């Protein structure tokens, strides 16, 4: 439901009544074919907010070419007819009669069990307090505007140009923390969490566009590259790409006098006043909630915090103040895409736990037409050539390709589509398939990687087996790479179509075997992540086995006294532990580990080895890996040799034990990044800055006379944690930035501990003599190489598990049915482990809730007569699909439920016995013949 | 006090976060109403050129 907003929520968790008002689009969605004629004729130009105002759109518009739904809408406050009563140009020219000026707002009453609020946020508008002259100078842009400038769908077609004169910039500066970490500007005291990393990305992309001579400089307070693999990217930008990082305080920005551009005035780390001219300046604007968020929150009945984000806690990060209403994404706090996506799945888990008993009660099943039996029919091929707006048709002569396709063997229908992937086109294609009795379909458009499934669905809707489909990628392989040579691009497009048609003629229908899904999970690791996942799965109605290596549940959280917000971790842990141990659906296996794994998604069989070598076999549908990590116990800095030297967790534990000694110290020193962000571990451990700030403050409160120093490289208390950092600075904790390229030594001077380091501000060697030295040591992964191999899931260079996609599938593995959460995935604080565990549970439930699932029909098969039983296929398959069994008589067999259709076995079989359905040798040979 | 549980969920906001929540819920057996304020879903992510740190196209 687009153009819609919630106006009222009544009722309670499990049973809410929600009023949703839908504002008029003034365009009939059924009739609009998104041809764009209306926008072409509309006389009213409006700054395009999608392009950050850098280009113009019309009053009737789609936000961008790939918008979903791809239907035009009239922006009423800008429409000449709706404001002044004259014009109606769009109505006159619309070929399908879709314009509806008489549309009125409608209200729908919905009855739902839970509400998930993901209203997102917006970037800070630097025009609000225009200290930089953003509104006056076109070459001072926000980071969002800069994204659009870089984008090939942006205002300059992906050419990096200055808005003022359309010339290429030679020097670009990024100013960090604009509208972040600043209590004076719009009361935004928090860190926006994403700007450091996006600025690095933009600088790197700018270098790609502008070449190595383009000078890029990022003016920063701290570089907060705290996420997984972010530090590596930062190092690459700094060391390989030559992006300059300048730690500074900006004092002014003014137009350069002589050759245009802008002079950035700043105070550098040593306190010197410096000036440097740039011809473009990017303001790295922070994230916040929308202007009217208070009204939205009021309608929902949820509380906001001081920065107008939804009020949540560290231990229940997605729970709003109103039961049954959950929050995720930027409305919960400033955060990046993967963290937001994790929140989403976590919210789905929470709602699923609440509403488990009502599962499948309101869903609708799609009626699919019966599949036509095409055996014995000669091929009747339909070819659909996509214009993709101008993305293809701007280069390739699409009508010529259609004409050419018409004459190819077995082709009975050929036509062009404006956007083949649009819903109305899909419906039309299905109709054509039925009317013309097509039994093979070729779409010449973009890449099968993103769109094959969509078109296959169209075939299914038309009653044709979805494997009778072939795609030719005339976008990536023609219009994109041969942009400068339309003629060659068109010839190549024709040839690709001929190849696809040649293959299509030989395609056979394939069946998809159904895979049984056992409704149970095995969770490896009994820390907070493992327990949270177990609890949610049990609430959602599934049986869970939790395997824990040690003799107790709780993991690292056992040593934490409180969160950075001061919430009691031990009370939380005790409650969680008792909920998990008392739930009849959860079975705990302590002092156990997984020794052997067989099977695959839906039907795993894992062997557990328990105390005394006792073995137990467990059948389960999915696996969640929550093996955690541990704190590095360093070998240097006198750790283990002097009782005054401890790690962060040692200190936490002494707080828990009520040990008075730390609070009695006269001088305490915290050293950050011990074992992190170095050559051996080039990653940030994410939790240590906040932990040290919290503990420094705690010591200072216990003993206000104590001198507390935090020696750091970059302070990274991201998001709302910035408040705690400010509190610590105001509370008298001294933060000193040390030079990590020079030695930092801990030694004994007589009985005294001596810490010697080089201060980056004073540029001189400093000494402190603490009687408490806390090392913020790295988070190091558990030894899991064997487990990774057993479940066929990858580890990264640092020893953490690698998710299927950094942004979009942050808790999945490429291997189906296996999920990851908590520290096993990478260093993270408690709240993020909790949400990630809930997310893993939600992702698992998407499988567990269906009793069976279809697997791809594109699988390998063995020609038994040709197989020599050499076993190469077994050795090479990364998924363990080929096997030899007693019944197979020395010949290989493919377990089709495990096969991913990668073709490795096919290409390595020496006897030519292995074949891949949908990619048979005959089909490929035919394609090659089509090409030559 | 409360017995009735309704098997549908309202997701307010059609950005990447809302879409993911909606998909997970729909695939777990719940009917989802996805409510978006603007004329199309996609949110802020659709404005980004490429994403960090893999430089994948955001679209």
């Amino acid at each position: 439901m687009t153009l819609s907003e919630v106006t009222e929520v009544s009722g309670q968790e499990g049973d809410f009544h929600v009023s949703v008002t839908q504002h008029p689009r003034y365009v009939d969605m059924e009739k609009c074919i998104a041809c764009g004629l209306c926008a072409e004729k509309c006389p009213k130009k409006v700054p395009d907010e999608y392009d950050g105002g850098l280009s113009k759109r019309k009053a009737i518009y789609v936000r961008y070419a790939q918008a979903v739904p791809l239907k035009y809408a009239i922006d009423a406050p800008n429409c000449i007819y709706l404001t002044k009563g004259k014009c109606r140009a769009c109505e006159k020219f619309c070929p399908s009669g879709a314009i509806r000026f008489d549309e009125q707002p409608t209200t729908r009453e919905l009855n739902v069990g839970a509400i998930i609020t993901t209203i997102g946020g917006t970037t800070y508008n630097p025009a609000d307090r225009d200290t930089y002259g953003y509104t006056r100078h076109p070459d001072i842009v926000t980071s969002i505007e800069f994204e659009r400038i870089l984008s090939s769908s942006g205002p300059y077609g992906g050419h990096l140009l200055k808005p003022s004169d359309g010339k290429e910039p030679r020097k670009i500066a990024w100013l960090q923390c604009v509208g972040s970490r600043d209590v004076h500007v719009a009361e935004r005291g928090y860190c926006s969490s994403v700007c450091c990393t996006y600025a690095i990305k933009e600088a790197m992309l700018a270098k790609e566009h502008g070449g190595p001579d383009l000078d890029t400089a990022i003016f920063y307070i701290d570089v907060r590259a705290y996420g997984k693999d972010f530090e590596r990217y930062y190092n690459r930008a700094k060391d390989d790409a030559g992006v300059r990082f300048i730690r500074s305080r900006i004092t002014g920005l003014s137009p350069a006098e002589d050759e245009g551009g802008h002079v950035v005035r700043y105070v550098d780390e040593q306190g010197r006043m410096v000036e440097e001219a740039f011809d473009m300046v990017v303001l790295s604007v922070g994230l916040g909630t929308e202007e009217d968020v208070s009204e939205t929150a009021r309608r929902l009945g949820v509380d906001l915090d001081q920065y107008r984000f939804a009020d949540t806690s560290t231990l229940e990060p997605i729970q709003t103040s109103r039961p049954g209403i959950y929050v995720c994404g930027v409305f919960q706090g400033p955060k990046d895409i993967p963290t937001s996506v994790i929140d989403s799945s976590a919210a789905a888990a929470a709602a699923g736990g609440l509403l488990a008993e009502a599962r499948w009660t309101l869903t609708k099943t799609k009626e699919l037409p019966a599949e036509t039996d095409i055996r014995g029919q000669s091929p009747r091929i339909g070819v659909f050539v996509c214009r993709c707006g101008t993305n293809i048709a701007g280069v390739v002569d699409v009508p010529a390709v259609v004409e050419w396709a018409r004459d190819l063997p077995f082709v009975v229908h050929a036509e062009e589509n404006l956007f083949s992937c649009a819903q109305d086109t899909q419906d039309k294609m299905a109709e054509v398939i039925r009317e013309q009795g097509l039994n093979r379909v070729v779409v010449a458009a973009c890449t099968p990687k993103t769109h094959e499934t969509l078109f296959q669905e169209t075939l299914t809707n038309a009653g044709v087996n979805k494997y009778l489909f072939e795609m030719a990628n005339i976008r990536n392989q023609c219009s994109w790479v041969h942009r400068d040579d339309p003629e060659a691009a068109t010839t190549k497009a024709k040839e690709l179509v001929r190849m696809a048609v040649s293959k299509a003629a030989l395609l056979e229908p394939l069946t998809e075997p159904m895979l049984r899904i056992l409704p149970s999970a095995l969770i490896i690791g009994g820390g907070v992540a493992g327990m949270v996942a177990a609890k949610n799965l049990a609430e959602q109605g599934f049986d869970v086995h939790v395997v824990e290596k040690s003799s107790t549940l709780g993991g690292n959280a056992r040593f934490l006294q409180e969160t950075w917000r001061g919430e009691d971790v031990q009370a939380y842990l005790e409650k969680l532990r008792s909920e998990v141990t008392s739930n009849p659906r959860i079975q705990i296996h302590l002092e156990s580990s997984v020794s052997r794994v067989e099977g695959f998604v839906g039907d795993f069989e894992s062997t557990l080895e328990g105390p005394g070598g006792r073995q137990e076999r467990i059948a389960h549908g999915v696996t969640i890996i929550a093996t955690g990590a541990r704190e590095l116990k360093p070998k240097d800095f006198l750790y283990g040799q002097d009782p005054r030297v401890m790690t962060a967790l040692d200190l936490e534990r002494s707080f828990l034990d009520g040990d008075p000694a730390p609070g009695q110290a006269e001088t305490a020193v915290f050293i950050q990044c011990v074992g992190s962000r170095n050559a051996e571990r080039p990653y940030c451990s994410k939790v240590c800055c906040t932990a040290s700030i919290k503990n420094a403050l705690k010591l200072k409160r216990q003993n206000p006379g104590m001198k507390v120093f935090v020696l750091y490289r970059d302070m990274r208390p991201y998001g709302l944690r910035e408040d705690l950092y400010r509190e610590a600075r105001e509370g008298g904790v001294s933060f000193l930035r040390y030079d990590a390229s020079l030695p930092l030594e801990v030694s004994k001077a007589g009985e005294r501990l001596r810490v010697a380091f080089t201060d980056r501000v004073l540029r001189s060697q400093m000494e402190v003599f603490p009687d408490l030295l806390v090392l913020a040591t790295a988070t190091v992964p558990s030894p899991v190489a064997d487990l990774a191999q057993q479940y066929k899931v990858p580890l990264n260079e640092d020893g953490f598990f690698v998710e299927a996609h950094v942004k979009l599938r942050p808790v999945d593995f490429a291997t189906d049915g296996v999920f990851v959460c908590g520290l096993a995935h990478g260093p993270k604080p408690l709240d993020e482990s909790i949400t990630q565990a809930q997310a893993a549970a939600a992702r698992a439930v998407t499988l567990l809730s269906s009793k069976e699932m279809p697997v791809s029909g594109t699988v390998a098969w063995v020609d038994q007569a040709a197989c020599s039983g050499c076993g190469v296929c077994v050795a090479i398959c990364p998924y363990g699909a080929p096997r030899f069994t007693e019944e197979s008589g020395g010949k290989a067999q493919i377990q089709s439920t495990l096969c991913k259709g990668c073709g490795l076995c096919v290409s390595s079989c020496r006897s030519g016995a292995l074949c891949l359905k949908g990619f048979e040798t005959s089909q490929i040979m035919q394609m090659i013949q089509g090409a030559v | 006090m409360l017995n009735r549980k309704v098997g549908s969920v309202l997701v307010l906001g059609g950005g990447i976060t809302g879409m993911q929540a909606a998909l997970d819920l729909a695939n777990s057996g719940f009917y989802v109403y996805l409510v978006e304020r603007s004329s199309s879903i996609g949110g802020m992510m659709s404005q980004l050129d490429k994403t960090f740190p893999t430089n994948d196209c955001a679209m």
Side-chain angles (χ1 to χ4, degrees):
Chain A
M1 301 167 70
T2 50
L3 296 161
S4 300
E5 57 186 340
V6 168
T7 44
E8 204 186 322
V9 178
S10 61
Q12 55 204 327
E13 65 171 332
D15 190 7
F16 288 108
H17 289 270
V18 186
S19 306
V20 177
T21 298
Q22 185 158 30
H23 299 286
R25 178 181 282 269
Y26 303 108
V27 173
D28 185 337
M29 299 252 282
E30 298 285 310
K31 291 197 168 162
C32 174
I33 53 167
C35 65
L37 209 57
C38 54
E40 204 182 304
K41 302 294 180 188
C42 174
K44 175 73 178 181
K45 283 188 180 170
V46 184
D48 187 352
E49 49 284 88
Y50 177 72
D51 267 344
L54 291 171
S55 59
K56 301 268 191 218
R57 63 164 171 84
K58 297 296 184 62
I60 185 164
Y61 72 115
V62 283
R63 281 182 71 221
Y64 48 95
Q66 300 88 345
V68 176
L70 192 59
K71 303 291 171 187
Y72 277 74
I74 294 178
D75 164 14
N78 280 305
C79 170
I80 301 174
Y81 175 68
L82 290 171
T83 52
K84 299 192 180 128
K86 264 189 185 157
C87 181
R88 305 184 89 134
C90 48
E91 192 178 36
K92 202 174 336 164
F93 287 99
C94 176
S96 57
I99 308 296
R100 291 277 172 275
F101 279 118
D102 56 354
E103 255 183 25
Q104 295 298 321
T106 53
T107 299
R108 273 181 79 179
E109 303 298 328
L110 304 175
N111 184 203
V112 297
I115 298 172
I116 296 176
T117 56
T118 73
I119 57 172
T122 178
T123 48
Y124 172 69
N125 182 359
D128 287 351
R129 276 174 70 131
D130 198 4
T131 41
Y132 294 118
Y134 163 74
T135 50
R136 296 188 299 277
H137 303 290
D139 293 341
I140 301 177
V141 299
T142 67
S143 39
I144 281 282
E145 287 160 11
F146 196 75
E147 285 289 336
R148 298 311 306 150
I149 292 176
L150 290 172
S151 173
S152 54
S153 67
Y156 311 133
H159 296 289
L160 174 51
L161 303 173
K162 287 187 286 173
S164 65
D165 56 6
K167 288 188 183 146
E168 289 178 10
R170 286 155 303 152
K171 281 185 82 177
I172 310 176
W174 277 260
L175 309 189
Q176 296 307 107
C177 302
V178 176
S180 302
R181 299 184 65 182
D182 188 343
V183 281
H184 305 295
V185 177
E187 293 163 354
R188 287 166 176 253
Y190 55 88
C191 158
S192 290
S193 305
V194 298
C195 329
C196 282
T197 37
Y198 77 55
I200 301 174
K201 175 199 73 175
E202 289 182 354
M204 293 283 268
L205 292 173
K207 287 249 181 202
E208 269 179 33
H209 285 252
D213 292 338
L214 178 77
D215 183 16
T216 54
I218 298 179
F219 292 88
Y220 72 97
I221 310 176
D222 295 281
V223 175
R224 294 190 169 168
Y226 54 81
K228 192 176 180 181
D229 286 336
F230 288 10
E231 183 74 13
R232 272 198 172 78
Y233 196 80
Y234 168 41
N235 288 337
R236 243 171 65 207
K238 187 165 47 114
D239 303 334
D240 304 340
V243 175
R244 291 189 290 143
F245 288 84
I246 302 168
R247 189 169 200 257
S248 52
R249 191 163 54 82
I250 303 295
T251 55
L253 183 61
S254 54
E257 276 168 20
D258 37 359
E259 40 188 292
H262 297 273
V263 175
V264 176
R265 289 194 182 76
Y266 62 96
V267 179
D268 77 359
E269 208 172 4
Q270 282 83 52
R272 292 174 301 220
M273 294 287 292
V274 188
E275 292 187 354
E276 188 177 347
F278 291 87
D279 31 52
M280 237 181 129
V281 177
V282 183
L283 305 178
S284 293
V285 287
L287 294 174
T289 44
E290 301 269 1
E291 280 287 302
D292 58 355
V293 67
S294 307
E295 174 58 19
T296 311
R298 193 194 58 75
R299 289 176 188 174
L300 292 167
V302 303
D303 295 340
L304 300 179
D305 68 12
Q306 56 161 328
Y307 296 124
R308 303 192 308 160
F309 293 108
D311 201 16
T312 57
S313 76
T314 309
L315 303 171
E316 287 186 311
I318 53 152
Q319 175 64 58
T320 66
S321 58
R322 184 169 182 182
I325 303 190
Y326 308 99
V327 59
C328 30
V330 175
F331 184 34
Q332 196 258 4
K335 64 184 66 160
D336 61 6
I337 297 167
T339 321
S340 298
V341 171
I342 290 169
D343 283 356
S344 312
S345 296
L354 175 67
L355 308 174
E357 64 192 59
R359 194 190 303 281
W360 300 121
T361 55
L362 293 176
T363 47
K364 297 169 185 170
T365 314
K366 200 173 160 189
E367 294 289 330
L368 291 175
E371 198 172 298
T372 321
D373 186 359
I374 64 147
R375 278 176 302 179
Q377 290 182 5
S378 74
R380 290 179 60 79
I381 303 177
V383 180
F384 297 87
V385 186
C386 185
R387 297 180 69 91
C388 194
T390 56
N391 203 353
I392 292 172
V395 178
V396 173
D397 183 350
V398 169
V401 177
V402 172
E403 280 317 306
W404 155 269
R406 234 184 266 290
D407 296 333
L408 293 171
F410 303 115
V411 173
V412 295
H413 178 87
E415 66 169 293
E416 62 177 62
N417 304 130
L418 182 64
F419 288 105
S420 303
C421 57
Q423 190 49 52
D424 57 330
T425 316
Q426 297 282 299
D427 298 341
K428 213 179 100 221
M429 279 167 72
E431 210 176 290
V432 170
I433 293 169
R434 278 190 298 264
E435 275 171 10
Q436 304 268 342
L438 303 180
N439 57 21
R440 309 280 193 288
V441 172
V442 171
V443 172
C446 52
T447 164
K449 215 174 158 183
T450 53
H451 282 69
E452 186 172 46
T453 355
L454 182 80
F455 294 122
Q456 286 187 324
E457 205 178 303
T458 312
L459 266 67
T460 308
N461 289 338
V464 176
N465 182 284
K466 71 181 203 187
Y467 292 95
L468 297 168
F469 172 74
E470 189 63 23
M471 241 178 132
N473 185 349
I474 62 165
R475 185 193 64 179
N476 303 32
Q477 295 169 11
C478 301
S479 70
W480 279 5
V481 289
H482 304 296
R483 190 174 289 275
D484 302 331
D485 192 347
E487 209 168 303
T490 305
T491 311
K492 189 172 172 187
K494 288 178 183 171
E495 280 168 5
L496 289 177
V497 170
R498 181 166 60 187
M499 286 170 73
V501 168
S502 310
K503 185 184 168 190
L506 294 181
L507 288 174
E508 291 293 329
L510 301 180
T511 52
E512 297 191 328
M514 292 305 277
L515 192 67
R516 171 180 75 126
I517 310 274
L518 293 173
S520 63
L522 177 76
I523 298 178
I524 307 167
V528 166
M531 285 195 285
V532 167
K535 177 175 169 241
N536 182 263
L537 285 173
E539 280 168 0
Q540 298 217 47
F542 302 100
D543 292 332
V544 187
H545 293 270
V546 178
V547 190
E548 167 57 39
K549 198 169 50 180
S550 77
S551 57
T552 45
L553 294 171
N556 289 310
R558 285 176 298 154
F559 313 123
L560 301 178
Q561 189 193 30
E562 56 189 16
T563 69
W564 68 273
R565 285 183 168 116
E567 296 125 327
D568 184 341
V569 177
Q570 292 312 304
Y572 168 77
L573 195 58
E574 203 35 64
K575 182 162 173 274
L576 181 60
R577 212 185 264 145
S578 82
E579 281 167 341
V580 166
T581 45
S582 64
N583 193 312
R585 287 197 181 278
I586 303 176
Q587 203 179 330
I588 314 256
H589 307 261
L590 293 175
E591 293 176 71
S592 301
S593 56
V594 175
S595 60
R596 190 178 150 82
V597 179
E598 286 166 280
F600 40 81
V601 53
D603 204 0
F604 286 106
E605 190 173 83
S606 301
T607 307
L608 306 188
E609 198 166 300
R614 194 167 47 83
Q615 295 208 336
E616 189 179 351
R617 286 160 86 99
I618 290 178
H620 53 107
V622 298
T623 309
I624 295 179
I625 295 179
T627 44
R630 59 188 174 80
E631 184 194 46
L632 175 75
K633 301 290 179 196
K635 294 197 176 67
D636 41 8
F637 297 138
L638 299 178
Y639 183 74
Q641 296 165 44
D642 189 302
R644 290 169 292 186
V645 182
M646 50 175 74
T647 65
L649 277 190
D650 295 338
L651 178 65
E652 293 270 359
R653 209 190 277 211
S654 80
F655 288 150
L656 268 184
D657 295 345
D659 178 1
Q664 289 160 358
E666 281 175 23
T667 306
V669 168
F670 289 79
I671 303 179
Q672 299 306 107
C673 300
V674 174
S676 301
R677 301 183 62 191
N678 60 13
E680 189 188 350
R681 289 182 211 87
Y683 60 86
C684 167
S685 293
K686 200 171 183 180
V687 299
C688 347
C689 281
T690 308
S692 292
I693 297 168
K694 180 198 75 172
N695 291 336
L697 256 175
K698 190 176 176 76
L699 290 172
K700 196 77 188 164
R701 285 195 190 117
Q702 283 182 356
N703 176 2
M706 191 189 301
K707 289 198 277 292
V708 184
F709 300 96
V710 178
L711 311 186
Y712 74 99
R713 291 171 62 189
D714 290 282
M715 283 311 287
R716 293 178 168 178
Y718 56 95
L720 306 183
R721 292 164 176 83
E722 179 73 15
D723 282 348
L724 193 72
Y725 180 33
R726 191 177 316 103
E727 198 182 326
R729 287 191 317 250
E730 287 164 0
V733 177
S734 306
F735 291 85
L736 304 173
R737 191 167 189 238
Y738 70 89
D739 190 332
S741 64
L742 296 171
L744 187 157
E745 285 169 4
V746 176
S747 57
K748 265 190 177 172
E751 271 313 296
R752 297 206 295 172
L753 271 179
R754 174 179 169 271
V755 178
F757 64 98
T758 304
D759 187 287
R760 288 189 55 132
V761 175
L762 301 172
R763 283 277 137 215
S764 65
Q765 179 90 18
M766 306 266 288
E767 282 183 336
V768 195
F769 298 91
D771 35 15
L772 172 65
L773 177 60
V774 185
L775 306 173
T777 60
T779 303
V780 291
S782 306
V784 283
D786 188 48
L787 193 70
Q789 209 168 16
Q790 292 276 10
Y791 286 102
K792 303 180 186 79
V793 292
L795 293 174
N796 69 11
E797 293 158 81
D798 305 322
F800 295 104
F801 285 96
V802 182
E803 60 276 34
H805 189 283
V806 181
K807 292 272 181 282
L808 304 177
R809 294 177 65 197
V811 300
D812 298 16
F813 281 112
T815 307
D816 289 335
V818 190
F819 305 91
V820 64
C821 59
L823 295 175
H825 159 272
K828 60 178 64 67
L830 192 56
D831 49 349
E832 288 169 32
S833 280
I834 293 170
T835 39
Q836 207 180 12
Q838 290 174 308
R843 299 292 300 149
V845 170
T846 60
L847 293 172
L848 294 174
S849 58
S850 30
K851 297 191 171 57
E852 50 181 21
M853 65 182 256
V855 292
S856 169
T858 310
V859 292
W861 61 279
V862 183
D863 177 355
Q864 296 287 318
C867 177
S868 65
C870 71
V872 167
C873 52
V874 178
I876 203 154
C877 177
Y879 309 100
R883 66 170 174 187
F884 291 95
T885 60
E886 279 173 24
E887 308 91 71
S888 68
K891 310 278 185 182
Q893 257 186 354
I894 301 291
Q895 304 167 78
S896 53
T897 44
L898 282 181
C899 178
K900 297 275 171 205
C902 72
L904 268 179
C905 59
V906 180
S907 54
S908 39
C909 177
R910 293 161 196 178
S911 333
L914 276 146
C915 315
L916 187 59
K917 289 181 183 169
F919 293 89
E920 303 288 355
T921 312
S922 58
Q923 295 164 350
I924 291 174
M925 290 312 288
Q926 196 68 31
M927 269 182 103
I928 295 172
Q929 275 177 13
V932 294
Chain B
M1 53 152 207
L2 166 75
N3 293 315
R4 202 169 111 89
K5 295 277 169 72
V6 181
S8 62
V9 180
L10 183 133
V11 176
L12 181 58
I16 176 72
T17 320
M19 290 193 273
Q20 181 67 48
L23 282 172
D24 282 342
L25 284 163
N27 289 329
S28 314
F30 299 101
Y31 192 84
V32 181
Y33 299 96
L34 181 62
V35 175
E36 161 64 33
R37 175 144 76 166
S38 80
S39 58
S40 61
I41 56 175
M44 208 190 276
M45 186 173 171
S46 67
Q47 282 181 290
L48 305 184
D49 174 34
K50 301 214 166 77
T51 59
F52 176 94
T54 50
N55 283 358
D56 279 347
C57 169
M59 195 59 79

